[in-house]
Amino acid sequence: MGLLKRPTVAKPCTSNSAAKATRRLRCHPSSMSIKASASPSFQGCDTPLDWRIKVVGMGSCGIDYLASVAAYPKPDEKLRTETLETQGGGNCANALTAAARLGLAPVLVSKIGGDGLGDAIISELQADGVDTSHVLRAAGHPSPFTYIIVDRQGGTRTCIHTPGAPLSPAEISPALMDAVLSDAVLVYFDGRLTEAALLLAREARRRGVPVLVEAERLRPGLESLLAEATWVVTSEHFPRDWTGESWHCDAVLSTFQRLPHVRWLVTTLGSRGALMLERRRGRGRDGSRRPGTEGPAALPSQQQQQQEPELQQAAGEGADDPWVGGDAPLREVTLEELVERELRAQVEAEAVAEGVTVGEGGGEGEITAGTAAAAGAAEPAVVCVSSSGVRIGAGRVATTEGFVRLGYAGSRDPSRAAHAAHLAAARAAALNADSAGAARYLAGTAAAAAAAPTNTSSSSSSSSASSSSNSDTNATAAASEGAAPSMAGAAGGDTEEEEALVARVTLASIARMPKSAVVDTTGAGDSFIGSMLYGIATRMPLPGALRLAAVVAGCKCTAL
């Protein structure tokens, strides 16, 4: 199609005509090449699926105008673009495109304009294998679009979004919900269109269809949507904005604690990879169901037994649960110390052993035989070659042995956290041209922060008000100096509040590729989520899904 072009994300396999004729492929045949055999520990998508796997996505869909410039313009400055491309955009549409190219059968629920751009959007999505039969068209309205300035010098992207016609809850009819949820293995929401999305999410949970919610930034109604989530993926900055916590690991832990029904939470960390907290499941010592073993709505037992446990087991959830093996005491550690002093050290040690240079930000150097030979290691395996010829290797993952009881590294001040969350909500509303409605972005956050348990550490509360730029460093230093962490369950039995702090923790690095190959990060997060949809739906172990997602996201970054 001449008008629009979605960036080619990945060709994780080479296909043959016989497979095409009989089975749905696990790859998009024109994007990248993967050899799964090159790395025995890496699980790619190099073989066809034996059945059609339907996933549903609801959220944004539009047009992206990507203007690449040498450097970001100063006020009143005029400059020319180096390149300008028009591509399909929108978090949900992009994620489903990635899922379709990996081999799933996605169905999109969204609303675009009744204009020519809308026609082009539909044609492009259909060409990629996305079902658009439930994309509503608004006659007389333009389609949503985003102007994106890609700063080549600074490596940043700035997005200016123009929304289209709103999607009303009244437009989500029972017939539409029945059609899209029939035979679906999961539903994904990108956090937009929240009022209408909430209807579909609740109906999905009622039917026993699990829900993945993306929390990219504060949005009106997002908190209600998160309450329906089975799984959650957040951006790097969302936990801090939502909870008001100064230290990043504390913000992630607070987010996890405030969503006790969520099975796992993934927070992307940019060049530092991704962090996953997985909640243990089963029954407590007294035989009662523990938090996280059931969603916020009752699920029909027959459908739940037929569908949800399969996905749960497929994604590696529930394995290695201490409750199954006995009542051994849980190890207690702050999330900050666990991530920065143990898991990240393990990941970086493995990288060095393979001859890969690890930068200050967690990024890795180019995969070459020379760097490996210099370290006395074998050449790192290349699992992906992008359409532009960039050689990409799988990143590494480090996971705790079993489950641990996590604590907060910083001294917690509920009043300060509530104030910080209020400021973040006001900032989000202003960026969304909705300053008068800032309270809608804050809904429930201040109350939740005030209700959270405070740290029992003797550290002064003033330390928690330090700037975010120094917060993680301070947290690590405090842990190393023996400061008492906040351990809700350090003494006594497991209450629901204490159980919400128990998790298995996984840290995944980014894919291995030269920094010079990164052209544009726009859409990388969407590719990551599309890959996670694939991992869940095809029953990949969680660490394997994180590694695949990092490779696909990295491949996306090699093109505008």
Side-chain angles (χ1 to χ4, degrees):
M1 183 174 60
L3 180 61
L4 297 179
K5 181 181 72 173
R6 285 187 187 272
T8 54
V9 176
K11 182 183 178 183
C13 64
T14 54
S15 56
N16 56 61
S17 57
K20 285 183 178 180
T22 59
R23 295 186 284 183
R24 185 175 183 86
L25 292 177
R26 288 191 181 187
C27 66
H28 190 274
S30 63
S31 32
M32 78 177 179
S33 176
I34 279 186
K35 296 179 180 179
S37 60
S39 178
S41 63
F42 177 76
Q43 182 176 349
C45 42
D46 60 322
T47 57
L49 291 173
D50 292 318
W51 62 93
R52 178 179 181 273
I53 301 180
K54 175 182 175 181
V55 297
V56 177
M58 182 174 180
S60 60
C61 176
I63 300 293
D64 285 349
Y65 299 99
L66 293 100
S68 178
V69 296
Y72 192 82
K74 298 177 182 178
D76 295 326
E77 185 178 45
K78 294 183 179 180
L79 75 166
R80 291 186 178 182
T81 59
E82 295 182 330
T83 58
L84 176 65
E85 290 197 17
T86 304
Q87 302 176 355
N91 290 30
C92 187
N94 285 345
L96 293 190
T97 296
R101 291 178 177 181
L102 290 170
L104 299 183
V107 177
L108 174 63
V109 180
S110 189
K111 187 174 184 178
I112 59 177
D115 53 359
L117 284 180
D119 295 338
I121 292 171
I122 295 295
S123 297
E124 183 196 31
L125 287 168
Q126 290 176 345
D128 268 315
V130 178
D131 184 342
T132 62
S133 58
H134 300 288
V135 176
L136 307 181
R137 306 294 298 273
H141 289 269
S143 293
F145 67 91
T146 303
Y147 192 82
I148 303 174
I149 302 174
V150 181
D151 175 6
R152 181 168 54 81
Q153 183 182 71
T156 64
R157 60 184 178 90
T158 303
C159 304
I160 305 173
H161 180 65
T162 300
L167 178 58
S168 166
E171 296 177 279
I172 306 300
S173 66
L176 184 150
M177 290 191 289
D178 185 66
V180 300
L181 293 176
S182 177
D183 299 324
V185 300
L186 65 89
V187 186
Y188 154 63
F189 298 91
D190 70 1
R192 293 173 173 85
L193 314 175
T194 48
E195 290 186 6
L198 193 56
L199 295 179
L200 185 61
R202 287 173 174 167
E203 179 61 18
R205 294 309 308 263
R206 189 188 71 81
R207 295 177 180 224
V209 180
V211 170
L212 187 148
V213 175
E214 175 187 4
E216 180 190 31
R217 61 189 181 94
L218 300 178
R219 302 183 191 279
L222 177 57
E223 193 156 359
S224 297
L225 195 58
L226 287 170
E228 301 297 330
T230 312
W231 311 290
V232 171
V233 178
T234 82
S235 65
E236 182 175 11
H237 59 80
F238 177 83
R240 271 182 172 148
D241 289 345
W242 196 46
T243 66
E245 295 288 345
S246 296
W247 297 343
H248 188 264
C249 281
D250 282 0
V252 172
L253 182 57
S254 180
T255 299
F256 186 68
Q257 187 177 13
R258 287 162 60 172
L259 299 172
H261 56 280
V262 168
R263 296 181 186 172
W264 52 250
L265 168 75
V266 170
T267 296
T268 57
L269 305 174
S271 65
R272 292 170 62 79
L275 177 63
M276 170 180 281
L277 273 61
E278 179 191 355
R279 181 161 279 120
R280 65 178 178 179
R281 296 170 58 78
R283 296 184 179 275
R285 292 184 176 90
D286 60 357
S288 62
R289 292 184 66 88
R290 297 198 313 272
T293 60
E294 54 190 347
L299 302 176
S301 58
Q302 182 177 2
Q303 190 169 9
Q304 183 181 6
Q305 291 173 1
Q306 292 175 349
Q307 186 175 55
E308 282 208 76
E310 293 183 358
L311 289 180
Q312 172 194 336
Q313 182 179 5
E317 299 175 20
D320 193 25
D321 191 327
W323 289 116
V324 176
D327 292 332
L330 295 175
R331 177 191 174 199
E332 298 173 356
V333 62
T334 67
L335 181 60
E336 175 71 26
E337 181 180 7
L338 180 65
V339 171
E340 298 303 333
R341 291 189 171 275
E342 298 183 25
L343 298 182
R344 191 168 300 283
Q346 180 180 335
V347 165
E348 293 179 356
E350 291 178 3
V352 171
E354 293 181 17
V356 179
T357 303
V358 179
E360 183 178 349
E364 299 178 357
E366 187 171 2
I367 303 170
T368 65
T371 56
E379 179 180 1
V382 174
V383 300
C384 166
V385 178
S386 74
S387 57
S388 58
V390 177
R391 292 154 56 87
I392 303 174
R396 278 155 296 276
V397 294
T399 305
T400 56
E401 295 183 4
F403 292 80
V404 297
R405 191 183 308 282
L406 299 169
Y408 293 91
S411 176
R412 307 186 71 209
D413 183 342
S415 297
R416 189 218 55 80
H419 179 67
H422 178 83
L423 293 178
R427 183 170 59 251
L431 291 173
N432 209 33
D434 188 24
S435 295
R440 298 188 302 129
Y441 295 75
L442 186 66
T445 57
T454 58
N455 197 331
T456 57
S457 170
S458 59
S459 307
S460 65
S461 61
S462 61
S463 64
S464 67
S466 60
S467 65
S468 60
S469 61
N470 297 323
S471 57
D472 291 334
T473 302
N474 293 341
T476 304
S480 66
E481 292 170 4
S486 173
M487 298 292 184
D494 289 342
T495 66
E496 289 190 6
E497 179 181 280
E498 295 159 1
E499 181 64 28
L501 291 169
V502 174
R504 175 164 45 201
V505 183
T506 299
L507 180 68
S509 73
I510 59 174
R512 295 179 293 181
M513 57 187 289
K515 291 183 179 180
S516 59
V518 177
V519 176
D520 175 29
T521 60
T522 304
D526 304 329
S527 298
F528 183 96
I529 288 181
S531 303
M532 291 300 295
L533 296 177
Y534 175 86
I536 296 170
T538 59
R539 310 179 184 183
M540 289 181 68
L542 289 174
L546 289 172
R547 297 183 83 198
L548 174 65
V551 168
V552 176
C555 190
K556 163 60 200 74
C557 293
T558 63
L560 188 67

